[in-house]
C-alpha cells in the first residue's frame, strides 16, 4: 500500500489537477447564506454535549438526531473536563472528543464546535478550571496576563487536535465558536477577544468560519461581537423572531441569519419544579425561523446528565441538579418524546427527512428494591477519607488553597468555651460556600448555607470538637461571579468571637468509594453518642443484583430514593451501589 504525506496546500493543488471538487464551507455575504462545497446551504442543528452522555450511548443519540432531520450537531468543549489539574490532560473514555467527532462524521452529521475557553452550559464555572483561582486576583475572561497564558496553553493542546476534523480537511466541523455570550459579561475586553481570534486562527487556519453567540439585543452584541468573528444570536420560542434577527443585522448587515441557541426547554435548579416548555410553542417558532431561511440550532436536542460534580449554579446562588434533561426532544435517558416528533414534523416541511427506522427508546428494567445498609458516618471513616491527615491553619482555607476542587471538606476546631445554653455560630460575611453540616462531638447542630442560613445555635462543652462539613454544590457558570471560591471563604464566629486553629480534612470520597469503603469500616472509630445516627452525614451501601435467565440484561433503570431529600432536617447520606450479576 502506497502512502503519501502532503501539505494541505499540496493536497488542494492535487485535487484541483484531478478535477476532484474540494470540500469547503464559508459565508456568502451577497446572498445572505452559508456556502458548502460551492452551493448555498442552510443548517438545522441540535445540541448534544458529549460530556453529559455516556460514550456507550453516543452512537444511539447521534443516529436519533440524524433521523429527526438534523444536518448538524453542536457541542461544547469543557476545558475543566479535560484539564482538571494543571497540565494533566484527559481525552480518554467518556472524554474522547475525537472519537465523538468521528462518530458524528460517520453518522452523516456536521459539527458546530463551541471551543470556549468559557462555555457557560450550566457547567461548573462555565467550563473554566478551578485551579485558575489559585491566583486569587485573576480576572477571568479578560486580557489578564495569567489568564491568557493559561488559555494559550490549553488551546495549544485542544485546537491542534481539532484541525484534522475541520470540514475542509475531511472532518465534520464546519464552524467553531469563540468564547460564549461575552456580551453578557462585565469585562467588555476587546483585547481579550482579539487575542482569542489570533489564537484560533493560528491553530485552525484562515478557512474555518469562526463565530460568536450572544443574546438577541444590541446591548449584548455591543461587547460580544468583534470584526473577524461572525456574530450570531440566541433567543427563546414565543418571542418576536423578526426583532431578534434585526438585532443580529445590527452587527452583521449581510450574511446568514443564525439562532445558535433556540431553546427547546430550560434548565432546572435545586428545589424548583422541573422546567417544561410545550412542544407546540417550540414548533410554532421553529416554523417561523425556518420560513425566513434562517439557520437554527436547537438547544438542547438532548440534555443528558451532570455526572459527578460537574453541575453549575446561578446567582443569587442556586445550583443546578444532576439532571440536565432540559425538557429536550430526547429525554435525559435518550428516550423519544412527543416533542421529538413534533419538531421532526416541522423540519420535514423544509427538507427531505432521512429514510429508515428511528432507533427505539432504550428498554428499561425494574430490578426491585435495593436495601441500603448504614456503614458509618463521615467522622467514623475520616482516616479512610483523608489518608494524609489534616492541614492545620489558624484561619480556614478554601478548596482551591487545599487543591481539592470538588466534593466535601471537613473543617474542625474546638469550642473555646462552654456553650451550655444555645450559642450563635454564624457566618457574618456569607462565607459558607455552599452548604455546611455542623456537629459538636458528633451531635448534629444544624446547617449553614450560602445566602439562606447564615446563623444557627449550637451547644457543647469547652474543648469539644466542632465539625463543619462543607459541600461544594457547583460553581457559578454565568455572569460576573465565575470566580466562585468554595469552602469556608471567610471566618466563622461564635458569639462574635472569630474561631481559629483549624484542622482541615480534604475528603477523597470518590477514591474511597472506588476502593470499597464498606470493606474498611470494621476498624472505624466510633466514639460519639449513637455511632450510626440518622442525622449525621452517613455512608450507606447497597447491592443491585442482575437476575439470571433473562435475555438482554443488564438494561437501563432508574434509582428512586423515597423520603431522601436535601433540606435542613434531612439525612445528608452518601450512598454507594454495587452491581452484581447472577449467572
Amino acid at each position: 500500500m502506497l502512502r503519501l504525506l502532503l501539505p494541505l496546500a499540496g493536497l488542494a493543488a492535487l485535487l484541483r489537477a484531478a478535477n476532484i471538487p474540494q470540500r469547503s464551507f464559508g459565508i456568502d455575504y451577497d446572498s445572505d447564506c452559508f456556502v458548502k462545497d460551492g452551493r448555498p446551504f442552510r443548517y438545522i442543528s441540535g445540541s448534544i454535549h458529549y460530556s453529559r452522555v455516556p460514550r456507550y450511548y453516543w452512537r444511539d443519540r447521534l443516529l436519533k438526531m440524524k433521523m429527526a432531520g438534523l444536518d448538524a450537531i453542536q457541542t461544547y468543549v469543557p476545558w475543566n473536563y479535560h484539564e482538571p489539574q494543571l497540565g494533566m490532560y484527559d481525552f480518554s473514555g467518556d472524554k474522547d472528543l475525537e472519537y465523538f467527532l468521528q462518530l458524528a462524521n460517520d453518522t452523516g452529521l456536521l459539527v458546530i464546535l463551541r471551543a470556549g475557553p468559557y462555555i457557560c452550559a450550566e457547567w461548573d464555572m462555565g467550563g473554566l478550571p478551578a485551579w485558575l483561582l489559585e491566583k486569587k486576583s485573576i480576572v477571568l475572561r479578560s486580557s489578564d496576563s495569567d489568564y491568557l497564558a493559561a488559555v494559550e496553553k490549553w488551546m495549544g493542546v485542544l485546537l491542534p487536535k481539532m484541525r484534522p476534523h475541520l470540514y475542509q480537511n475531511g472532518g465534520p466541523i464546519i464552524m467553531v465558536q469563540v468564547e460564549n455570550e461575552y456580551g453578557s459579561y462585565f469585562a467588555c475586553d476587546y483585547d481579550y477577544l482579539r487575542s482569542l481570534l489570533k489564537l484560533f486562527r493560528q491553530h485552525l487556519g484562515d478557512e474555518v468560519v469562526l463565530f460568536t453567540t450572544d443574546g438577541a439585543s444590541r446591548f449584548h452584541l455591543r461587547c460580544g461581537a468583534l470584526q473577524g468573528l461572525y456574530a450570531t444570536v440566541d433567543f427563546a420560542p414565543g418571542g418576536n423572531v423578526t426583532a431578534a434577527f434585526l438585532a443580529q443585522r445590527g452587527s452583521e448587515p449581510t450574511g446568514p441569519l443564525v439562532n445558535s441557541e433556540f431553546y427547546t426547554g430550560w434548565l432546572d435548579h435545586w428545589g424548583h419544579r422541573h422546567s417544561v416548555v410545550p412542544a407546540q410553542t417550540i414548533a410554532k417558532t421553529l416554523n417561523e425561523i425556518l420560513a425566513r431561511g434562517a439557520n437554527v440550532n436547537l438547544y438542547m436536542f438532548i440534555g443528558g446528565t451532570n455526572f459527578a460534580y460537574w453541575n453549575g449554579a446561578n446567582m443569587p446562588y442556586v445550583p443546578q441538579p444532576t439532571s440536565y434533561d432540559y425538557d429536550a426532544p430526547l429525554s435525559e435517558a435518550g428516550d423519544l418524546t412527543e416533542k421529538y416528533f413534533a419538531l421532526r414534523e416541522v423540519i420535514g416541511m423544509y427538507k427531505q427527512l432521512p429514510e429508515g427506522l428511528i432507533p427505539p427508546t432504550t428498554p428499561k428494567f425494574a430490578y426491585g428494591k435495593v436495601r441500603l445498609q448504614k456503614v458509618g458516618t463521615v467522622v467514623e471513616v475520616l482516616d479512610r477519607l483523608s489518608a494524609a491527615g489534616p492541614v492545620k491553619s489558624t484561619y480556614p482555607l478554601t478548596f482551591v488553597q487545599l487543591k481539592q476542587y470538588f466534593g466535601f471538606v471537613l473543617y474542625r476546631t474546638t469550642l473555646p468555651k462552654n456553650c451550655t445554653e444555645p450559642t450563635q455560630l454564624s457566618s457574618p460575611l456569607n462565607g459558607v460556600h455552599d452548604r455546611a453540616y455542623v456537629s459538636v462531638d458528633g451531635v448534629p447542630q444544624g446547617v449553614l448555607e450560602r445566602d439562606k442560613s447564615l446563623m444557627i445555635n449550637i451547644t457543647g462543652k469547652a474543648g469539644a470538637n466542632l465539625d463543619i462539613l462543607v459541600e461544594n454544590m457547583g460553581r457559578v457558570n454565568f455572569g460576573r461571579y465565575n470566580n466562585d471560591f468554595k469552602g469556608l471563604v471567610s471566618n466563622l464566629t461564635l458569639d462574635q468571637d472569630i474561631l481559629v486553629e483549624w484542622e482541615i480534612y480534604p475528603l477523597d470520597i470518590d477514591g474511597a468509594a472506588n476502593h470499597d469503603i464498606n470493606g474498611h469500616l470494621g476498624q472505624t472509630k466510633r466514639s460519639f453518642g449513637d455511632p450510626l445516627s440518622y442525622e449525621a452525614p452517613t455512608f450507606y451501601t447497597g447491592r443491585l443484583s442482575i437476575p439470571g435467565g433473562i435475555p438482554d440484561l443488564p438494561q437501563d433503570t432508574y434509582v428512586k430514593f423515597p423520603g431522601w431529600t436535601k433540606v435542613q432536617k434531612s439525612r445528608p447520606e452518601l450512598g454507594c451501589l454495587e452491581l452484581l450479576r447472577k449467572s
Side-chain angles (χ1 to χ4, degrees):
M1 180 175 64
L2 178 63
R3 293 185 177 181
L4 294 176
L5 298 177
L6 291 175
L8 290 178
L11 178 59
L14 184 63
L15 291 174
R16 284 194 298 270
N19 292 320
I20 299 174
Q22 288 180 250
R23 290 164 61 95
S24 63
F25 187 88
I27 297 174
D28 184 341
Y29 288 91
D30 293 330
S31 300
D32 295 335
C33 68
F34 290 112
V35 178
K36 177 174 170 283
D37 299 334
R39 296 181 179 180
F41 179 76
R42 186 261 294 276
Y43 68 75
I44 304 172
S45 172
S47 286
I48 173 175
H49 299 158
Y50 63 95
S51 55
R52 285 178 161 132
V53 177
R55 175 184 175 128
Y56 179 85
Y57 280 124
W58 286 349
R59 188 184 302 274
D60 173 81
R61 308 307 192 249
L62 291 171
L63 187 54
K64 287 172 179 172
M65 296 174 79
K66 176 69 175 179
M67 295 306 295
L70 301 184
D71 307 291
I73 61 165
Q74 187 192 82
T75 195
Y76 281 124
V77 181
W79 178 4
N80 53 9
Y81 190 59
H82 295 286
E83 193 183 1
Q85 305 280 342
L86 176 61
M88 297 177 63
Y89 304 103
D90 188 356
F91 289 90
S92 63
D94 286 341
K95 301 181 180 184
D96 192 344
L97 173 55
E98 291 189 87
Y99 176 69
F100 178 77
L101 295 174
Q102 186 58 54
L103 278 182
N105 204 22
D106 294 344
T107 309
L109 288 163
L110 301 169
V111 173
I112 299 164
L113 190 73
R114 310 179 84 177
Y118 165 83
I119 61 171
C120 184
E122 290 74 63
W123 188 268
D124 186 82
M125 207 165 146
L128 300 177
W131 48 259
L132 289 170
L133 300 178
E134 290 178 10
K135 178 194 174 184
K136 196 169 184 178
S137 62
I138 195 168
V139 181
L140 302 173
R141 305 176 67 194
S142 77
S143 50
D144 178 295
S145 59
D146 292 295
Y147 175 72
L148 273 185
V151 169
E152 289 172 4
K153 185 178 179 183
W154 161 239
M155 289 301 171
V157 172
L158 172 66
L159 296 182
K161 290 179 179 288
M162 298 299 98
R163 187 160 185 163
H165 299 280
L166 298 179
Y167 184 76
Q168 59 268 28
N169 297 336
I173 299 175
I174 54 172
M175 300 169 64
V176 178
Q177 183 178 311
V178 177
E179 247 278 346
N180 187 47
E181 296 182 326
Y182 193 65
S184 299
Y185 194 57
F186 76 95
C188 198
D189 186 341
Y190 294 113
D191 287 337
Y192 167 55
L193 291 182
R194 291 187 190 98
S195 296
L196 292 182
L197 173 57
K198 181 180 178 182
L199 187 62
F200 277 58
R201 287 292 178 213
Q202 173 188 333
H203 289 293
L204 298 179
D206 295 328
E207 294 183 31
V208 65
V209 174
L210 301 179
F211 72 103
T212 60
T213 299
D214 282 285
S217 74
R218 291 186 177 182
F219 171 80
H220 292 106
L221 287 160
R222 180 178 65 87
C223 291
L226 183 76
Q227 186 175 359
L229 299 170
Y230 191 75
T232 73
V233 294
D234 51 39
F235 57 87
N240 188 324
V241 173
T242 300
F245 282 132
L246 279 175
Q248 184 191 359
R249 282 287 177 246
S251 294
E252 300 290 354
T254 60
L257 297 174
V258 182
N259 182 347
S260 288
E261 288 187 11
F262 174 60
Y263 304 110
T264 62
W266 199 242
L267 58 117
D268 291 329
H269 291 108
W270 270 109
H272 296 199
R273 290 188 178 274
H274 175 51
S275 297
V276 176
V277 180
Q280 295 79 7
T281 302
I282 299 162
K284 181 177 181 294
T285 306
L286 177 61
N287 186 36
E288 293 178 33
I289 292 171
L290 296 179
R292 294 175 181 273
N295 301 265
V296 64
N297 175 70
L298 301 166
Y299 187 101
M300 298 292 296
F301 203 87
I302 173 172
T305 304
N306 294 314
F307 295 106
Y309 304 107
W310 290 117
N311 66 283
N314 284 310
M315 293 293 289
Y317 188 79
V318 55
Q320 288 111 28
T322 302
S323 173
Y324 197 65
D325 179 82
Y326 215 85
D327 193 32
L330 292 174
S331 75
E332 179 179 7
D335 295 346
L336 303 167
T337 67
E338 173 195 347
K339 188 175 289 185
Y340 176 93
F341 291 102
L343 299 185
R344 185 175 188 268
E345 182 178 348
V346 174
I347 292 169
M349 296 164 55
Y350 294 91
K351 60 172 293 189
Q352 182 71 37
L353 293 173
E355 296 182 359
L357 297 176
I358 300 171
T361 289
T362 55
K364 314 295 189 296
F365 187 82
Y367 295 94
K369 292 184 178 180
V370 176
R371 181 175 179 81
L372 295 182
Q373 180 182 2
K374 295 175 289 182
V375 293
T377 66
V378 169
V379 170
E380 289 166 356
V381 296
L382 189 56
D383 290 347
R384 176 64 184 159
L385 296 174
S386 188
V391 175
K392 296 184 179 182
S393 176
T394 303
Y395 300 105
L397 302 176
T398 66
F399 277 36
V400 166
Q401 289 172 311
L402 297 165
K403 296 188 184 300
Q404 164 125 350
Y405 304 120
F406 299 99
F408 297 79
V409 169
L410 180 69
Y411 295 78
R412 172 176 287 175
T413 187
T414 55
L415 292 181
K417 62 181 181 180
N418 283 323
C419 299
T420 53
E421 297 296 324
T423 306
Q424 284 191 356
L425 174 71
S426 61
S427 174
L429 299 179
N430 196 16
V432 174
H433 286 196
D434 300 301
R435 183 176 171 91
Y437 305 96
V438 182
S439 63
V440 175
D441 271 355
V443 179
Q445 305 289 313
V447 173
L448 295 170
E449 187 165 350
R450 182 177 182 173
D451 292 344
K452 294 180 180 179
S453 174
L454 307 187
M455 185 277 293
I456 60 172
N457 288 320
I458 66 171
T459 58
K461 296 180 180 179
N465 280 335
L466 172 63
D467 287 339
I468 315 289
L469 179 64
V470 179
E471 176 187 0
N472 167 5
M473 295 203 297
R475 292 181 181 82
V476 173
N477 56 260
F478 182 78
R480 67 182 301 145
Y481 299 105
N482 281 134
N483 55 335
D484 190 8
F485 293 88
K486 297 301 184 182
L488 295 182
V489 302
S490 62
N491 290 317
L492 298 185
T493 60
L494 186 67
D495 262 356
Q496 300 182 351
D497 294 327
I498 294 175
L499 291 169
V500 294
E501 304 306 329
W502 293 89
E503 292 184 348
I504 308 170
Y505 296 82
L507 304 185
D508 182 14
I509 291 175
D510 289 349
N514 290 337
H515 291 87
D516 185 15
I517 192 170
N518 192 37
H520 296 272
L521 293 175
Q523 302 82 31
T524 55
K525 298 178 181 178
R526 297 183 176 178
S527 56
F528 304 135
D530 178 4
L532 293 175
S533 168
Y534 276 104
E535 297 180 4
T538 303
F539 282 94
Y540 287 71
T541 186
R543 294 186 175 186
L544 188 158
S545 297
I546 301 173
I550 300 177
D552 301 324
L553 288 186
Q555 291 177 353
D556 290 348
T557 194
Y558 297 94
V559 180
K560 185 176 183 180
F561 291 83
W564 295 41
T565 56
K566 193 181 182 74
V567 294
Q568 183 159 335
K569 297 300 183 182
S570 72
R571 311 187 297 270
E573 297 96 338
L574 302 164
C576 179
L577 287 178
E578 179 182 354
L579 272 66
L580 297 178
R581 180 154 194 166
K582 294 182 179 179
S583 58

